[in-house]
Amino acid sequence: MAEIASWKVKTGLAEMLKGGVIMDVTTPEQAKIAEEAGACAVMALERVPSDIRAAGGVARMADPTIVQQIMDVVTIPVMAKARIGHFVEAQILESLGADYIDESEVLTPADDMYHINKHEFKVPFVCGCRNLGEALRRIGEGAAMIRTKGEPGTGNVVEAVRHMRTVMSEIRQLQTMPKEELMTAAKNMGAPYDLVLLVAEQGKLPVVNFAAGGIATPADAALMMQLGVDGIFVGSGIFKSGNPKARAKAIVIAATHYKDAKILAEISKDLGEPMVGIEISTLAAGERMQERGW
Amino acid sequence: MRKRIGVLALQGAFREHRLVLEQLGCEVIEVRTAADLAGIQGLILPGGESTAIGKLLQFAALGEKIKELAAAGLPVFGTCAGMILLSKRVEDSEQYNLGLMDMTAKRNAFGRQIASFEADLDIPALGSQPVRAVFIRAPFVQETGPEVEILAVYEDRIVFVRQGNLLASAFHPELTSDERVHQYFLKIVEENCGN
């Protein structure tokens, strides 16, 4: 009779998050601030990406106490991150009742060849991508939501823009191909053929796609929305800024009124210092989180 | 004549409502500011996060304008978060809402995401074929005033209600291809235009 964890139910929650902002939080107090600002969900973490970057070493799933405490204080959905390929961290997060799991390149990968078989879980997953092939591989493994990776913890939106433009341009290319070219396209991008056919036919990803990795201002959020993403993840950008409350609220409004420059101008005033950004070219290849994922 | 229906587009699954309404021949207006409300004959409040939508409704007093129009008879249909926004009372919550229907809603009433489900739901007003209803971190209605008509109950929980020009469902008819729930709302719009 009642069917839980169906594909419709898993992708359905992502549909409900659209047009919203998902904020990284590390304490119950931050979670309350995010909810109060109008976040549509929070990501429970031990450290935000910029601190993970600064600390170095191995970054793992958060202490379950933190995830639990955050789930206890907010009524909006709570997401949590597991390492790439670490299906036991995912099992633990599912048992805690997390609403979505992010199999995330922000944490140190636990498997250097394979991602989690996400179909096996009742809880839905979101995964990062830099291009269409990566997005479709993750969806093939069971991801019910996608986010462009950007470069986490940098406060620099350039990589998020590049990844979104790449995905959109690859979708447009598929749409113009005659059917006999699609198998080779699938081979070249390393994507499941059935999903390539679906994208060629529908002209869009089969699941919701958010932007992540480097969004620090309301204008950044609106830029990504105008480029066609369904919503925004903000990691370090809020709680590493001078006035988290005001900035969080402004980014929420920007994700809704992204086409209205007058409103964007109004809400961008007096937000205090944004987080300090990092120029991507100063990062060594090994410091780029976006390259994690197979 | 083509009906002109607004879909509140602050946050949530407004695109899906838009597609269903277009399928049914309506002209659809995405409502983000009070100016977008001009000339609409009905309004849909989509699913999403009710706290987030509640905050955004307070921006530039959009929520108050919607309250005025609904009180003057504009048909409004809320799904999931929209049901919460329409309720006069929301259990354990002080969040902003429109408070137009005489009932108490309970948020996330079926549990967290892992308890979200789809099921066949009998809705006598829509005929004998059940509706496939998708419930996502869904609310239900705990108690209703005398003006509220109960249209569907799932395992003793009230999940579909009407009060005059106002309609609310705990489930998401916009996520399935069955258009009967939207057609039912458009009938309310039609009756209202006739008056």
Side-chain angles (χ1 to χ4, degrees):
Chain A
M1 200 33 218
E3 193 188 348
I4 59 161
S6 63
W7 185 244
K8 193 139 245 159
V9 163
K10 286 177 165 181
T11 54
L13 179 55
E15 301 287 350
M16 298 310 139
L17 299 173
K18 281 184 311 197
V21 181
I22 300 168
M23 302 182 190
D24 277 6
V25 296
T26 59
T27 63
E29 294 71 37
Q30 288 184 353
K32 289 299 285 182
I33 291 173
E35 183 174 57
E36 193 51 40
C40 67
V42 290
M43 178 75 71
L45 284 163
E46 215 160 293
R47 284 194 287 243
V48 296
S50 67
D51 286 338
I52 289 174
R53 194 175 279 292
V58 174
R60 309 178 178 91
M61 173 187 81
D63 183 327
T65 316
I66 293 176
V67 179
Q68 192 68 59
Q69 284 172 344
I70 289 170
M71 285 184 351
D72 290 344
V73 299
V74 294
T75 61
I76 55 178
V78 176
M79 300 183 165
K81 287 185 195 288
R83 281 181 267 176
I84 288 172
H86 206 315
F87 50 86
V88 175
E89 286 188 347
Q91 290 164 3
I92 291 170
L93 292 172
E94 180 177 67
S95 81
L96 290 175
D99 294 295
Y100 240 91
I101 295 177
D102 183 1
E103 186 184 20
S104 176
E105 69 282 0
V106 167
L107 305 181
T108 311
D111 191 317
D112 67 352
M113 288 182 67
Y114 306 111
H115 284 251
I116 297 170
N117 175 11
K118 295 165 274 285
H119 290 295
E120 277 191 348
F121 288 77
K122 292 194 182 79
V123 59
F125 280 73
V126 55
C127 287
C129 77
R130 287 174 301 169
N131 52 51
L132 184 58
E134 196 173 11
L136 297 183
R137 287 196 295 282
R138 298 294 87 82
I139 296 166
E141 294 157 357
M145 177 177 177
I146 287 294
R147 53 177 175 73
T148 48
K149 284 178 173 173
E151 186 55 44
T154 60
N156 188 341
V157 78
V158 66
E159 296 298 292
V161 168
R162 195 154 62 85
H163 298 158
M164 184 57 189
R165 283 203 182 274
T166 304
V167 169
M168 297 302 276
S169 136
E170 288 173 332
I171 290 174
R172 284 192 297 269
Q173 282 167 32
L174 287 188
Q175 282 182 286
T176 62
M177 285 180 185
K179 198 160 180 199
E180 65 270 22
E181 294 182 10
L182 291 173
M183 180 60 86
T184 300
K187 184 190 90 172
N188 290 342
M189 66 170 74
Y193 180 58
D194 57 332
L195 292 178
V196 167
L197 288 183
L198 193 68
V199 171
E201 188 193 305
Q202 299 189 339
K204 64 183 194 62
L205 283 175
V207 301
V208 165
N209 178 33
F210 272 45
I215 292 144
T217 67
D220 289 348
L223 172 67
M224 296 312 299
M225 294 295 292
Q226 286 200 27
L227 286 174
V229 300
D230 295 313
I232 304 291
F233 279 93
V234 189
S236 323
I238 289 170
F239 290 100
K240 286 289 159 188
S241 75
N243 187 347
K245 269 185 199 171
R247 186 164 295 267
K249 194 173 170 199
I251 293 177
V252 167
I253 294 171
T256 295
H257 297 285
Y258 61 93
K259 285 186 281 195
D260 191 327
K262 279 206 175 90
I263 293 179
L264 293 173
E266 200 51 47
I267 59 163
S268 297
K269 287 175 184 165
D270 302 321
L271 294 181
E273 279 295 301
M275 72 177 282
V276 178
I278 299 175
E279 162 56 36
I280 304 296
S281 62
T282 64
L283 291 176
E287 294 174 322
R288 290 202 287 269
M289 292 171 174
Q290 59 175 276
E291 278 155 34
R292 300 163 167 177
W294 344 112
Chain B
M1 218 185 90
R2 263 179 103 196
K3 295 187 191 72
R4 188 178 163 99
I5 307 293
V7 178
L8 188 69
L10 299 177
Q11 191 272 322
F14 49 86
R15 192 167 62 205
E16 283 60 36
H17 278 292
R18 178 189 189 113
L19 293 174
V20 180
L21 291 170
E22 282 173 350
Q23 203 78 40
L24 292 171
C26 299
E27 180 191 356
V28 182
I29 309 295
E30 290 191 358
V31 174
R32 292 189 176 79
T33 64
D36 300 326
L37 294 166
I40 59 168
Q41 295 160 302
L43 177 66
I44 288 187
L45 313 176
E49 273 308 308
S50 62
T51 49
I53 299 174
K55 303 282 172 203
L56 290 158
L57 275 172
Q58 292 172 75
F59 185 73
L62 177 60
E64 297 304 306
K65 307 254 167 44
I66 293 173
K67 273 191 202 172
E68 280 168 30
L69 291 173
L74 179 76
V76 182
F77 173 28
T79 59
C80 194
M83 171 185 256
I84 297 165
L85 290 165
L86 284 173
S87 300
K88 272 216 167 80
R89 299 169 293 279
V90 182
E91 196 188 81
D92 296 328
S93 165
E94 280 148 30
Q95 71 191 53
Y96 177 85
N97 69 350
L98 303 172
L100 295 162
M101 294 178 78
D102 187 13
M103 59 192 194
T104 308
K106 184 176 162 65
R107 298 184 56 210
N108 303 335
F110 292 93
R112 304 193 73 93
Q113 172 62 13
I114 38 176
S116 294
F117 64 99
E118 49 180 298
D120 290 334
L121 181 67
D122 285 318
I123 307 179
L126 302 185
S128 56
Q129 265 309 86
V131 166
R132 190 70 180 166
V134 183
F135 292 85
I136 295 173
R137 286 172 49 94
F140 58 68
V141 174
Q142 262 178 330
E143 158 275 336
T144 56
E147 306 284 291
V148 177
E149 181 190 353
I150 296 168
L151 296 173
V153 169
Y154 179 75
E155 293 187 341
D156 298 330
R157 276 110 177 223
I158 302 165
V159 294
F160 192 29
V161 287
R162 175 176 178 180
Q163 179 183 342
N165 57 323
L166 308 170
L167 187 68
S169 72
F171 55 95
H172 294 282
E174 77 281 13
L175 293 184
T176 54
S177 54
D178 190 336
E179 293 163 347
R180 284 178 293 163
V181 174
H182 285 84
Q183 280 166 342
Y184 184 81
F185 175 63
L186 293 178
K187 227 164 59 192
I188 298 177
V189 173
E190 221 156 83
E191 288 162 14
N192 188 60
C193 293
N195 289 341

